[in-house]
Amino acid sequence: MLAKLMSFFLLGLIRVLTGAQARWHGCPPKAEQRIYFANHQSHADLVMIWAALPKELRSVTRAIAAKDYWTKSPFKQWLTSKVFNVIYVSRDRTSDEDPLEPLLDALENGDSIILFPEGTRGHFEEPQAFKAGLYNLALKCPKAVLVPAWINNVQHVLPKGEVVPVPVLCSVTFGAPIQVQDGEECKPFLARARSAVMALREV
């Protein structure tokens, strides 16, 4: 019950602070299994893209979150696990751990996921090079629809090092799905995926 109340509170707060505008430019919101992949410039990205999804999609869509950061305090852990139902990923892992395993488990359970392929927050207008995780997930879960997204302006809501959010109009633009072409190798695909995200800046 408390988690549900917090969800409503945060959704209202985010919409007041940012507007949380969702722009479905290349595809409609649809109840199908998807891998949303987006640029990453703020800890607020996770919350912003969650708030931009319709209610029926929020309940089946899980974001990826760094375990070491989001479990630092009991409140952060409760918020991310009970309210946002994130998938924790360890950045400090042993050599025999598969970093994709928790993501694959979620996809096998029928969830959609939100992925930030840069792997860490960027500090530039253009996203950093994408890491191979998106490509490997696409190969292992070919039925999941790959949807690019551009999160605009959210880095100004919660700048790095700040704890008090600033009201700024933000939006999330969702683009046309892409897929791995037959025989397409990792680097060309990741470059194409990154370009698909960047193209949404102008929409």
Side-chain angles (χ1 to χ4, degrees):
M1 182 63 180
L2 182 59
K4 191 172 183 180
L5 289 173
M6 178 61 80
S7 175
F8 286 135
F9 169 75
L10 287 174
L11 189 61
L13 178 64
I14 294 158
R15 288 178 174 169
V16 167
L17 287 173
T18 71
Q21 297 180 0
R23 300 170 178 170
W24 296 91
H25 176 69
C27 64
K30 187 177 180 182
E32 62 184 4
Q33 190 175 46
R34 291 177 168 180
I35 298 174
Y36 299 96
F37 59 98
N39 58 312
H40 190 26
Q41 293 193 323
S42 167
H43 285 310
D45 290 339
L46 181 160
V47 184
M48 180 67 192
I49 199 167
W50 170 83
L53 293 171
K55 180 180 178 181
E56 62 272 17
L57 298 187
R58 284 199 304 272
S59 62
V60 295
T61 304
R62 304 175 66 188
I64 312 305
K67 186 176 182 180
D68 60 306
Y69 178 83
W70 288 106
T71 59
K72 275 185 178 179
S73 70
F75 177 72
K76 280 184 179 179
Q77 184 166 0
W78 175 81
L79 186 68
T80 50
S81 63
K82 300 301 183 183
V83 178
F84 297 120
N85 191 27
V86 304
I87 304 166
Y88 291 124
V89 175
S90 297
R91 291 188 286 194
D92 298 322
R93 54 184 178 270
T94 61
S95 58
D96 60 344
E97 285 184 290
D98 181 359
L100 295 183
E101 184 175 351
L103 285 68
L104 291 169
D105 288 344
L107 289 167
E108 288 173 4
N109 287 333
D111 294 324
S112 293
I113 64 173
I114 301 167
L115 182 67
F116 302 106
E118 295 168 79
T120 186
R121 285 180 296 160
H123 307 292
F124 308 99
E125 291 187 6
E126 294 187 356
Q128 301 175 77
F130 284 4
K131 295 186 176 180
L134 177 62
Y135 178 78
N136 293 327
L137 283 175
L139 292 182
K140 292 180 179 182
C141 304
K143 292 183 180 179
V145 179
L146 307 178
V147 178
W150 178 262
I151 305 173
N152 184 53
N153 228 17
V154 74
Q155 69 272 23
H156 298 122
V157 175
L158 193 65
K160 188 174 183 179
E162 298 295 330
V163 293
V164 178
V166 178
V168 177
L169 188 62
C170 302
S171 63
V172 181
T173 303
F174 298 92
I178 68 170
Q179 61 184 1
V180 179
Q181 303 297 330
D182 290 341
E184 189 174 21
E185 295 185 354
C186 183
K187 285 187 177 180
F189 169 78
L190 293 177
R192 189 161 59 84
R194 180 173 175 271
S195 295
V197 169
M198 291 173 58
L200 299 172
R201 295 181 303 178
E202 311 303 326
V203 174

